[in-house]
Amino acid sequence: MFKNCVFKPDVNTVKWLKAAGVRAIKTVAQTAIATIGASATMGEVNWAVVGSASLLAGVVSILTSVAGIPEVKEGE
């Protein structure tokens, strides 16, 4: 379950931070696009909802990455 977990001593923390950061940024962007796309027109976009949903998605992505991400192999 916790393969390539950041808390394992043989996982490179810097590589993990970079990979988890890239994943989180992609997740934030995807969430923002989906939230904006759910509005009928740009005038109806609730930017507070877009921002909060995107931020929450980024936090969840980082927390999910703690369990391990395939981009960071053990022992590298």
Side-chain angles (χ1 to χ4, degrees):
M1 178 174 166
F2 290 103
K3 188 175 182 180
N4 304 332
C5 175
V6 70
F7 297 120
K8 287 188 175 181
D10 57 347
V11 171
N12 185 325
T13 305
V14 174
K15 283 185 178 182
W16 183 90
L17 284 171
K18 288 180 182 178
V22 168
R23 280 181 166 230
I25 290 169
K26 287 179 180 180
T27 301
V28 167
Q30 291 168 345
T31 303
I33 290 168
T35 308
I36 292 168
S39 298
T41 64
M42 287 300 286
E44 295 179 11
V45 174
N46 185 337
W47 293 105
V49 171
V50 171
S52 64
S54 299
L55 181 64
L56 179 61
V59 170
V60 170
S61 175
I62 293 290
L63 293 174
T64 302
S65 294
V66 168
I69 47 181
E71 293 89 356
V72 180
K73 304 283 191 262
E74 292 181 44
E76 285 186 357

